[in-house]
Amino acid sequence: MSQDSETGKIRNADRDLIALGIAIAAILLFIATGSSVLPSVARAIFGEGGSPDHLLVNALLLNIALIIFGWRRYRELMSEIAERRKAEETAHQLAQTDPLTGCLNRRSMAEATDLLRHNSIARGQALAFVMIDLDNFKQINDMNGHSVGDRVLTKIADRLRDRLPKDALLARLGGDEFAFVMAYDRNKPGTVDDLIIRLFDTVGSTMDIDGVIVDVTMSIGAASDGEIAADKADPLHNHDAEALMHRADIAMYQAKKQGKNRYFWFEASMENELRFRNELETGIRRGVAAGEFVPYYEQQIDLETGELVGFEMLARWNSPTLGLVSPEVFIPIAEEIGVIGEMSDKLMTQAFADARKWDPALTLSVNISPVQMRDPWFSQKLLRLLVACKFPPNRLEIEITESCLHENVGMVRSMISSLRNQGVQVSLDDFGTGYSSLEQLRSLPFDRIKIDRSFISELRNADASSKIVDAIVSLGQGLKMPITAEGIEDKQILDTLRSMGHLKGQGYLYGQPETGRQVLERLQETGQLSTDVEVASDSAQAADDVGTDAADVDDTAPLARQMSKR
Ligand code: C2E
Ligand code: MG
Ligand code: MG
């Protein structure tokens, strides 16, 4: 509060005090003088006596004036108090509700839920807390601006309000997150499901905002105190609303994880999963800083000649608590928590240092995440890294997956062109698993297509399944894009592929991915080391750098399988 208003208040209070003093004095005087003056004034008016004492009459009039003054001040005071009360009410209202949508806010929702739960228990009803998060709202905001985003939020709030039962409470907990809480008959547990299903149909439908068509879907998580209300041992009894909210949040997270636009009820197992996930997040953050992510290398072979032509770098997390962890587990989390760029830079720096010790004819492929491709400066940063590591761009091939192409084809195209102009090759990884159109494939300047290993493994079934691979090979020939086949596991697959054309390939037939040190040993045996490398000391250095040994390699596959199941 400002000093001016503070002194103003003090001055007002002084005035009020003086006015009160004057009014009280006036009333006392009025009682004292009025009792003797009034009867003589009355007698004078009715002609029954002489004129009253002028002094006393004046004193009486002054008294009356002072009483009127005091009364007016009292009225002023009352209206000031009313205004102040109104302002306080507005402030209270603002503190309780979200100004954009008029829904309750997070804090007041917790209080209101506690109250509602209290009432529902008294009435023998169950209570459901339902958390709603809009899918891809950030994208809506980014693409159409914040004012459209705000309109989407108000519209969603209106639609929800219209469809919820009368006594349900609706809140906007922040950003694109809404929640409602409702009491329901515990003998009719399907009530909440029916409502949620109706919400999917009606709330998340297409909206037209001043000509901008926006499709909104929602992920929903629900938690109920229905089954557990009677169980006194349940911790929910102690901190009701917060625990319910937390559970609904966990269920909502599950809905997001399972692909969004769906709903889940809370289950205890979800909590463990979330705890594990949080541990992974913390471990990954710490591991990136501590250099626990290390490059492994998989051989790439010219299938026609059988010669080694290069390696694909595959990241591994050498976690102190979990052992060697598969990229299928940690890459999606690293993407989500925003450390993928830093992780990739560190891995590439290590891989460039390793690959500089190899025969310069050998190439190095690295996988780049779609999240990295969103950075408009990605190609510049990569080229800077190449310069800093003194690694020739023409030995580098980057692999991007089809999912990069959905996001911003224009930007990806210019990025690919800029990398290629510097001599870096770009290949389309896991081809056939995404949704890239033939048109995109024709118009994007890829240097190579890598057929996903799911198609290659099908080649084991002798008959018809080779048709897809055959078709992709012909497509590559037609577009003049060389092909690499991933996941060659046995001789039969290799023979089939060799009959299809001149391909490159990789897979466990040639061995599992290896550490930097193992690669150096392999290359030393075949005489494919760079001429200026001293192998003995360098392999020791490489072993130190990667911090792993050969024994780790065999552990990779089972752990990867085990962890990607979680
Ligand atoms: P990818 O780029 O398609 O890599 C090939 C994956 O197939 C590797 O799995 C490799 O170990 C596995 N593989 C190779 N040959 C065979 C085979 O004969 N049979 C079978 N069953 N599998 C085979 P990995 O190392 O677990 O990597 C999985 C994915 O993780 C990679 O798929 C790639 O998309 C991603 N990844 C790996 N390292 C990085 C990285 O540094 N950055 C990014 N963004 N992604 C990475
Ligand atoms: Mg790859
Ligand atoms: Mg692949």
Side-chain angles (χ1 to χ4, degrees):
M1 197 175 289
S2 77
Q3 219 168 357
D4 278 359
S5 68
E6 202 57 56
T7 41
K9 264 191 164 179
I10 293 169
R11 223 174 289 137
N12 272 350
D14 286 352
R15 238 175 51 204
D16 293 345
L17 219 69
I18 295 167
L20 188 71
I22 293 173
I24 291 171
I27 290 167
L28 290 175
L29 270 172
F30 180 78
I31 294 166
T33 56
S35 57
S36 61
V37 177
L38 273 179
S40 57
V41 169
R43 274 197 302 276
I45 288 170
F46 295 110
E48 290 172 4
S51 59
D53 183 338
H54 282 287
L55 198 66
L56 285 178
V57 172
N58 283 342
L60 182 70
L61 289 176
L62 188 64
N63 270 345
I64 293 169
L66 287 175
I67 289 169
I68 291 170
F69 166 77
W71 173 249
R72 279 188 48 194
R73 184 66 202 135
Y74 167 77
R75 292 282 302 277
E76 266 175 40
L77 263 176
M78 290 314 281
S79 92
E80 270 174 32
I81 287 169
E83 264 172 42
R84 204 171 302 162
R85 197 165 290 157
K86 207 166 147 206
E88 275 168 10
E89 258 166 35
T90 316
H92 187 64
Q93 173 90 354
L94 282 175
Q96 286 211 319
T97 53
D98 159 44
L100 180 68
T101 60
C103 300
L104 294 178
N105 61 23
R106 183 179 283 274
R107 211 191 57 203
S108 53
M109 180 64 158
E111 284 165 16
T113 304
D114 266 334
L115 199 70
L116 202 61
R117 185 164 143 73
H118 196 74
N119 295 344
S120 69
I121 290 174
R123 277 192 248 116
Q125 288 179 305
L127 196 75
F129 193 99
V130 180
M131 195 79 93
I132 303 169
D133 195 282
L134 306 187
D135 299 328
N136 310 326
F137 181 71
K138 188 179 176 308
Q139 231 162 310
I140 296 173
N141 247 345
D142 290 351
M143 279 170 63
N144 308 300
H146 284 254
S147 67
V148 171
D150 282 357
R151 298 274 302 280
V152 170
L153 292 174
T154 31
K155 227 168 187 161
I156 291 282
D158 293 344
R159 286 180 178 181
L160 281 169
R161 214 177 273 123
D162 287 350
R163 284 152 185 91
L164 294 183
K166 288 198 301 310
D167 50 352
L169 295 170
L170 176 65
R172 179 175 166 228
L173 303 180
D176 58 352
E177 204 173 47
F178 292 88
F180 68 87
V181 61
M182 61 180 271
Y184 65 98
D185 183 346
R186 66 174 71 245
N187 299 316
K188 292 182 187 157
T191 318
V192 184
D193 295 76
D194 293 346
L195 174 65
I196 293 177
I197 291 164
R198 272 203 309 280
L199 293 182
F200 273 115
D201 289 342
T202 50
V203 174
S205 56
T206 304
M207 31 181 106
D208 180 346
I209 298 184
D210 298 337
V212 181
I213 304 296
V214 182
D215 275 311
V216 187
T217 60
M218 312 175 288
S219 297
I220 297 184
S224 160
D225 67 350
E227 317 81 55
I228 39 192
D231 177 6
K232 293 272 186 273
D234 193 280
L236 201 57
H237 259 272
N238 301 326
H239 28 264
D240 304 346
E242 238 171 73
L244 260 181
M245 270 176 157
H246 178 63
R247 290 175 176 199
D249 203 21
I250 290 174
M252 193 271 292
Y253 172 75
Q254 188 73 12
K256 288 268 180 207
K257 217 185 95 186
Q258 298 291 328
K260 305 178 179 169
N261 195 19
R262 62 198 66 213
Y263 81 100
F264 276 95
W265 280 97
F266 170 81
E267 283 169 28
S269 61
M270 293 175 184
E271 201 153 22
N272 298 334
E273 196 176 317
L274 194 71
R275 197 168 300 129
F276 178 64
R277 154 87 195 202
N278 287 341
E279 278 168 23
L280 278 182
E281 279 185 15
T282 324
I284 289 171
R285 276 185 215 283
R286 212 193 33 234
V288 171
E292 288 166 13
F293 291 86
V294 291
Y296 272 57
Y297 301 96
E298 178 170 311
Q299 299 176 63
Q300 295 181 316
I301 307 289
D302 180 325
L303 297 187
E304 205 165 75
T305 62
E307 271 174 30
L308 174 71
V309 288
F311 290 89
E312 175 174 2
M313 189 268 279
L314 295 163
R316 297 287 180 267
W317 177 19
N318 200 9
S319 156
T321 48
L322 300 165
L324 209 58
V325 182
S326 154
E328 274 159 0
V329 174
F330 65 78
I331 295 281
I333 302 177
E335 289 175 339
E336 220 170 282
I337 63 176
V339 297
I340 185 75
E342 190 187 346
M343 175 189 286
S344 177
D345 282 356
K346 287 190 164 179
L347 283 161
M348 279 194 281
T349 305
Q350 180 60 53
F352 295 154
D354 286 346
R356 282 184 59 200
K357 295 165 194 159
W358 310 338
D359 181 334
L362 296 173
T363 57
L364 170 72
S365 299
V366 297
N367 295 282
I368 297 297
S369 142
V371 175
Q372 291 170 275
M373 298 291 286
R374 276 184 216 145
D375 175 1
W377 300 104
F378 171 75
S379 59
Q380 278 87 336
K381 287 180 185 167
L382 180 62
L383 294 170
R384 215 179 305 139
L385 191 65
L386 282 165
V387 172
C389 297
K390 299 195 181 69
F391 192 76
N394 59 2
R395 285 185 62 195
L396 177 67
E397 178 174 287
I398 69 160
E399 299 188 2
I400 64 173
T401 51
E402 287 170 291
S403 51
C404 287
L405 309 181
H406 307 309
E407 305 203 350
N408 187 347
V409 184
M411 194 166 101
V412 173
R413 182 180 291 118
S414 67
M415 211 174 271
I416 296 176
S417 304
S418 129
L419 288 167
R420 291 186 77 214
N421 288 340
Q422 306 294 324
V424 176
Q425 310 240 325
V426 183
S427 60
L428 182 58
D429 202 1
D430 301 345
F431 181 71
T433 55
Y435 303 92
S436 54
S437 68
L438 292 180
E439 170 55 24
Q440 282 175 340
L441 204 56
R442 193 178 61 82
S443 69
L444 287 165
F446 288 111
D447 293 290
R448 172 171 296 278
I449 298 173
K450 297 187 74 177
I451 310 178
D452 189 68
R453 67 169 189 263
S454 56
F455 299 111
I456 304 299
S457 64
E458 286 289 304
L459 294 179
R460 205 178 284 118
N461 314 324
D463 44 337
S465 41
S466 65
K467 288 212 172 74
I468 293 183
V469 179
D470 225 0
I472 300 176
V473 171
S474 319
L475 183 74
Q477 281 162 351
L479 294 169
K480 300 204 171 21
M481 283 185 201
I483 303 268
T484 296
E486 303 181 315
I488 306 172
E489 289 186 350
D490 57 43
K491 183 80 173 48
Q492 185 198 335
I493 293 178
L494 174 65
D495 290 341
T496 314
L497 285 168
R498 287 178 72 168
S499 70
M500 290 180 178
H502 186 179
L503 309 178
K504 275 209 244 174
Q506 54 188 92
Y508 293 166
L509 176 65
Y510 302 99
Q512 298 269 336
E514 295 172 329
T515 63
R517 182 181 66 166
Q518 287 169 319
V519 168
L520 285 187
E521 284 165 1
R522 171 185 295 283
L523 296 181
Q524 187 184 23
E525 273 170 28
T526 54
Q528 283 176 294
L529 283 179
S530 169
T531 45
D532 40 63
V533 167
E534 271 182 45
V535 182
S537 62
D538 272 337
S539 11
Q541 178 62 47
D544 287 348
D545 290 346
V546 297
T548 49
D549 59 34
D552 291 335
V553 179
D554 296 332
D555 298 340
T556 312
L559 182 66
R561 273 197 297 276
Q562 183 196 332
M563 299 206 54
S564 43
K565 275 203 206 108
R566 296 206 200 210

